[in-house]
């Protein structure tokens, strides 16, 4: 945990640069502190997820080694669903509010005909009555890399309170359904390999 | 687990919002520490994230799962977690937990059932009435339990101390009439979040 926290510190130290370099018309809040407080779940158990600052931009990226759902031959009965909850503390400067712009996922899917998969991402703040949910669906047959982008509708970002200094939560859930496939004869899996949080959207209050 | 809590404190300390530095607000409680213990939240499988303003926390579990049937050992049918909280109410007031939200997933074969039992008590005081939520198969879906006690059954901290609040979660899967040689049934909790803290004035001395 301490290790991920330090990585969180590294993210914080570097994030200011992206904000400055970002050519988007958003107001510039200056350097922003982002701390990774915890990352945990069946899909990102201790020792299976690594968090870093993405050189290609964004708030943070996570790579997973165990965020894999599987059904069919060899799959455990509880293997059809995995989740991961990330808690970040983001300190909005006075006079600014931010919104989570979205996330980009990559992975690999090997899905027998008849199976289907969904990846649901929820983002919310403390005591949030209006969490945002993105749902991606994968249809079979499929045997390929998977790249999914869940971007907030730029017309309706879900902003934090002004000057928010609280927790921001990102929750991901991956499910794989047997559907009409024959689990005694086939085996299917979906492996989520990384998630990148896109650069935050800022507004002046 | 201590490590996780310390990491949380370190975050707060770095940002200058530790409890020692911040004046105690008079309209809400301040969370001092959160500890976990139990077969469903053993070290390395559960994480606590306290918000930077110390008014909210989230517990995430990666292996809080009760299961019966194929692949389950006899002791897997029941898992527990005790969340121990130390909370500072505003001066001259006492508090009760006004509710807690638990999120998870259940996959239950026809005839099987699962139950989440919740009790809480302040160290040295009597235990709250048992509240339980039951799920019956066949189902395979998200589980959301918003556990909100009515005012009369809320358990308030005794005035004039800082007793530990213990929240006991007991998760059970029951085979019932399902065929455990052919099916697996399980319920997993992913996260627990307090919904509110209710304040009450202490008698003046």
């Amino acid at each position: 945990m301490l290790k991920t926290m330090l990585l969180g510190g590294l993210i914080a130290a570097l994030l200011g640069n992206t904000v400055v370099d970002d050519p988007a018309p958003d107001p510039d809040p200056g350097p922003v502190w982002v701390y990774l407080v915890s990352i945990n779940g069946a899909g990102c158990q201790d020792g299976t997820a690594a968090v870093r600052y993405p050189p290609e931009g964004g708030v943070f990226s996570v790579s997973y080694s165990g965020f894999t759902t599987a059904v069919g031959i060899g799959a455990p009965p509880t293997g059809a669903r995995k989740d991961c909850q990330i808690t970040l503390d983001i300190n909005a400067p006075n006079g600014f509010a931010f919104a989570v712009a979205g996330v980009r996922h990559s992975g690999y899917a090997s899905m027998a005909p008849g199976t289907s998969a969904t990846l649901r991402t929820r983002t919310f703040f403390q005591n949030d009555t209006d969490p945002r949910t993105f749902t991606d669906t994968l249809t079979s047959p499929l045997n390929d890399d998977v790249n999914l982008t869940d971007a907030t509708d730029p017309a309706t970002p879900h902003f934090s309170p002004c000057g928010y200094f609280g927790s921001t939560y990102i929750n991901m859930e991956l499910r794989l359904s047997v559907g009409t496939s024959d689990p005694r004869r086939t085996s299917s899996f979906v492996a989520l390999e990384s998630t990148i949080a896109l650069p935050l959207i800022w507004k002046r209050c | 687990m201590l490590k996780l809590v310390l990491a949380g404190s370190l975050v707060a300390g770095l940002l200058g919002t530790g409890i020692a530095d911040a004046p105690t607000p008079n309209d809400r409680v301040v969370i001092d520490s959160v500890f976990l213990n139990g077969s469903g939240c053993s070290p390395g499988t559960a994480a606590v994230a306290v918000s930077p303003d110390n008014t909210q926390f989230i517990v995430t579990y990666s292996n809080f799962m009760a299961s019966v049937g194929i692949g389950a050992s006899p002791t897997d049918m029941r898992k527990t977690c005790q969340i121990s909280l130390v909370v500072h109410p505003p001066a001259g007031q006492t508090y009760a937990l006004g509710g807690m939200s638990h999120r998870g997933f259940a996959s239950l074969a026809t005839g099987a059932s699962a139950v989440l039992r919740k009790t809480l008590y302040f160290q040295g005081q009597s235990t709250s009435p048992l509240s339980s939520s039951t799920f019956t198969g066949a189902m395979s879906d998200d589980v959301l339990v918003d556990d909100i006690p009515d005012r009369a059954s809320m358990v308030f901290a005794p005035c004039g101390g800082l007793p530990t609040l213990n929240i006991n979660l007991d998760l059970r899967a029951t085979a019932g009439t399902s065929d455990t040689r052919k099916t697996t049934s399980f319920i997993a909790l992913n996260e627990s979040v307090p919904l509110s803290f209710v304040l009450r004035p202490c008698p003046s001395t």
Side-chain angles (χ1 to χ4, degrees), chain A residues 4 14 20 33-34 44 51 77 79 86 92 95 109 119 123 133 187 200:
Chain A
T4 41
L14 294 168
V20 171
W33 291 95
V34 176
C44 54
V51 181
I86 297 171
L119 173 60
T123 69
T133 304
S187 132
L200 299 172

Side-chain angles (χ1 to χ4, degrees), chain B residues 121-192:
Chain B
Y121 67 97
F122 286 96
Q123 204 83 47
Q125 305 284 309
S126 57
T127 303
S128 70
L130 172 74
S131 134
S132 71
S133 307
T134 303
F135 305 91
T136 51
M139 72 169 283
S140 178
D141 207 350
D142 293 328
V143 162
L144 176 63
V145 176
D146 280 342
D147 194 32
I148 303 171
D150 55 49
R151 182 86 190 196
S153 62
M154 279 182 192
V155 180
F156 282 84
C159 287
L162 276 182
T164 301
L165 172 60
N166 293 309
I167 302 161
N168 288 307
L169 304 177
D170 175 328
L171 196 59
R172 296 180 195 186
T174 307
T177 57
S178 69
D179 185 346
T180 53
R181 289 163 307 180
K182 294 189 177 169
T183 61
T184 300
S185 294
F186 67 91
I187 182 167
L189 276 202
N190 301 140
E191 62 186 62
S192 298

Side-chain angles (χ1 to χ4, degrees), chain A residues 1-2 5-6 33 35-46 77-79 81 83 85 87 89-91 120 122 124 126-127 165-167 169 171 173 175, chain B residues 3-4 7 10-11 14-15 17 44-53 55-58 60-63 65 70 103-105 140-142 184 186 190-191 195:
Chain A
M1 185 42 56
L2 190 59
M5 230 274 310
L6 290 175
W33 291 95
Y35 281 92
L36 176 74
V37 182
S38 80
I39 173 166
N40 190 41
C44 54
Q45 281 180 307
D46 212 10
T78 56
R81 179 184 176 272
D83 75 307
Q85 166 88 47
T87 304
D89 287 350
I90 300 176
N91 190 357
R120 194 181 58 183
R122 249 178 342 122
F124 51 107
Q126 274 171 246
N127 309 318
F165 181 27
S167 293
Y169 306 101
N171 181 281
E173 186 205 59
R175 282 196 215 180
Chain B
K3 207 166 59 177
L4 300 184
L10 184 55
V11 171
L14 284 171
L15 296 170
T17 60
T45 72
V48 178
V50 178
S51 70
D53 61 359
T55 63
Q56 178 63 299
F57 68 89
I58 183 167
T60 53
Y61 315 96
S62 64
N63 198 25
M65 180 191 294
I70 301 169
R103 215 173 249 281
F105 183 82
S140 178
D141 207 350
D142 293 328
T184 300
F186 67 91
N190 301 140
E191 62 186 62
L195 290 172

Side-chain angles (χ1 to χ4, degrees), chain A residues 93-166:
Chain A
N94 279 336
F96 286 92
F98 65 89
V100 175
V103 290
R104 202 160 59 224
H105 306 284
S106 69
Y108 191 88
S110 171
M111 295 165 58
T115 60
S116 64
T118 57
L119 173 60
R120 194 181 58 183
T121 305
R122 249 178 342 122
T123 69
F124 51 107
F125 304 112
Q126 274 171 246
N127 309 318
D128 199 338
T129 54
D130 182 27
R132 289 299 159 99
T133 304
F134 307 98
T135 305
D136 299 298
T137 305
L138 299 177
T139 51
S140 59
L142 186 59
N143 193 356
D144 205 352
D145 292 329
V146 171
N147 290 293
L148 302 165
T149 300
D150 297 326
T152 294
D153 178 355
T156 58
H158 178 38
F159 281 103
S160 70
C162 286
Y164 183 65
F165 181 27

